[in-house]
Amino acid sequence: MSDLETRVVPARAPLLRRAVPALLGYAVVRALGLAVLAGWSAARGKSAYTLLTARWDSLWYTRVADLGYGYEVRLPNGDVHSNLAFFPLLPWLERLLHAVAPLSYADAGFVVSLLASPAAAAGIFAVTDRLYGPRAGFFAVLLWAVLPVGIVQSMAYSESLFTALAAWSLYAVLTGRWVSAGVLAALAGLTRPVGMAVVAAVWTAGVVSFVRERGTRHAPGAHPHTHAPGAHGPDGHAPDAPADTQVGSSAPGGPVRRRALGMLLAPLGAAGYVLWVGRRTGAGPLGYLDVQAGWRNGFDGGYAFARFVAGRFTSFPSALAGLGLIVGVALLIWLYVTCVRGRQPAALLVYTGVVLALALCASSYFGSKPRLLMPAFPLLLPLARALARRRTPVAALVTAGLAGVAAVYGAFWLNGSGPP
């Protein structure tokens, strides 16, 4: 070999191939959780499948799929629980699967979760791999799988579907696929009220890219950003985007029209459903807020949640729960600050901030907050990076221990209070 020959950096494997180890690990964790749930439920004379598909919000979704909107329950205290509170994408998919396959609506909801949860895991891997490399992506997926309420990822709920759409929309933003980002954000907006977090992320990334582009154009001696041959990303792999998209920025530029189109598409799902509800109820553009008020759910800046936590300190046993809640909220805030200090892209920071605000500052259903926080996967990235830096046996032991705890807790939780 000639001394003049240069070393060639091998091309990276395709994204889905890089994601295979993470997806296999995710499947193992979910299988463990379902196996423990099945055994625990059988010991208590309950059906694990019923717990996953035909309780709590699952029933509301299947009623929408079966009967459409208009169903409501009037409680003795005068509250009205209307199924208009539930966004339509999951019921639409349940109805579609029911029409094309011999599945009940509940079965269809379970199938959607079976497909959406690995899609969400793949999206989480894609975002993390883009920023910090495949090893960090692997651990980000496993950490999302072993969340204490990770069993919800296998339920006929909309959390997995929403997280999949959100993660892939954020990945599209990071890679400059603006129209895809807008379409996925619109679909996320048809899935859950927190879809506005994805819309805010797309808009933030778009505005930042326009401002940065304008500043670069007017800077003295400005020239297009180029990559040095053989440059490598944070984990030693060859980046497939400009370095400024790896850790600190929102997105590459791209054609102005496509960016503008993506930004215009992003809010159509959430805005369309909210406006439709307002027209159906006759309450105007803010009619959806009246529907939520019927569920005693609203945004009060966290006042009701703070009162709920303070109320735990009335006796010794419940005081431990109150202390645990305070520690949990402090941990969330610390993780978010760590994300900010770690210079995560602006789109991820805005998305996570909105998810946190809506989950922690809602005025009702305090037991739901852990699952409402599940889509905030960027909070896990600092922990994933920390695990990625550890030796493999240590990291494997930590994740295996967390998987066992999550499986047992998930079985206990669903056989007890479960998600309200």
Side-chain angles (χ1 to χ4, degrees):
M1 180 179 293
S2 169
D3 292 339
L4 297 178
E5 288 182 318
T6 58
R7 178 175 173 269
V8 177
V9 178
R12 298 182 76 192
L15 174 61
L16 290 181
R17 188 182 302 174
R18 297 198 303 274
V20 166
L23 295 178
L24 289 176
Y26 179 80
V28 169
V29 173
R30 287 272 45 82
L32 174 64
L34 292 174
V36 173
L37 174 65
W40 192 298
S41 302
R44 294 175 59 88
K46 295 183 178 180
S47 166
Y49 189 71
T50 299
L51 293 175
L52 293 170
T53 62
R55 291 189 69 187
W56 304 295
D57 288 5
S58 300
L59 292 174
W60 287 91
Y61 283 119
T62 56
R63 288 192 186 105
V64 173
D66 185 18
L67 304 172
Y69 285 106
Y71 176 84
E72 62 184 27
V73 175
R74 294 184 177 272
L75 304 183
N77 65 357
D79 290 344
V80 178
H81 288 184
S82 167
N83 66 358
L84 289 169
F86 295 87
F87 277 50
L89 185 58
L90 177 57
W92 286 349
L93 293 175
E94 290 176 341
R95 181 176 293 181
L96 175 63
L97 287 177
H98 173 74
V100 302
L103 296 172
S104 68
Y105 294 114
D107 294 338
F110 185 64
V111 170
V112 171
S113 289
L114 285 182
L115 297 175
S117 54
I124 292 169
F125 176 87
V127 170
T128 313
D129 172 66
R130 177 76 177 177
L131 298 175
Y132 308 118
R135 184 171 171 86
F138 175 83
F139 286 109
V141 169
L142 290 189
L143 287 173
W144 190 67
V146 302
L147 290 173
V149 294
I151 191 66
V152 174
Q153 296 163 19
S154 298
M155 297 180 68
Y157 270 46
S158 59
E159 272 77 10
S160 290
L161 178 62
F162 174 79
T163 304
L165 295 168
W168 283 108
S169 179
L170 291 171
Y171 178 73
V173 165
L174 293 176
T175 54
R177 296 171 172 88
W178 292 97
V179 176
S180 296
V183 170
L184 290 167
L187 291 173
L190 286 170
T191 307
R192 297 188 62 81
V194 74
M196 68 178 67
V198 191
V199 177
V202 173
W203 273 73
T204 297
V207 170
V208 168
S209 69
F210 280 125
V211 170
R212 181 180 293 128
E213 190 175 79
R214 180 180 177 84
T216 302
R217 234 184 359 249
H218 289 81
H223 61 293
H225 181 81
T226 57
H227 240 347
H232 285 67
D235 285 293
H237 60 274
D240 49 7
D244 65 355
T245 67
Q246 293 292 315
V247 263
S249 88
S250 297
V256 172
R257 290 182 180 178
R258 296 184 70 81
R259 267 183 284 174
L261 179 58
M263 293 173 69
L264 289 174
L265 289 171
L268 294 184
Y273 181 70
V274 168
L275 292 174
W276 178 81
V277 170
R279 180 177 180 183
R280 183 182 176 100
T281 60
L286 300 181
Y288 184 78
L289 298 180
D290 295 335
V291 172
Q292 286 284 12
W295 288 78
R296 299 257 177 138
N297 199 17
F299 189 88
D300 65 357
Y303 175 72
F305 184 45
R307 289 190 59 188
F308 173 78
V309 173
R312 303 303 94 192
F313 290 92
T314 56
S315 63
F316 174 72
S318 64
L320 295 178
L323 182 61
L325 289 171
I326 292 174
V327 170
V329 172
L331 176 61
L332 291 171
I333 294 173
W334 176 77
L335 285 172
Y336 187 71
V337 171
T338 302
C339 293
V340 174
R341 295 180 64 184
R343 298 178 59 231
Q344 279 190 9
L348 268 65
L349 293 175
V350 168
Y351 167 76
T352 307
V354 175
V355 173
L356 280 176
L358 292 178
L360 295 179
C361 297
S363 60
S364 187
Y365 296 100
F366 307 113
S368 301
K369 294 190 183 297
R371 69 176 178 86
L372 297 180
L373 289 164
M374 189 179 298
F377 69 88
L379 291 176
L380 301 174
L381 302 195
L383 302 177
R385 296 182 71 190
L387 279 175
R389 290 192 291 265
R390 298 293 182 269
R391 297 177 59 183
T392 299
V394 174
L397 183 63
V398 170
T399 52
L402 291 174
V405 171
V408 172
Y409 180 78
F412 166 77
W413 188 50
L414 282 195
N415 278 276
S417 61

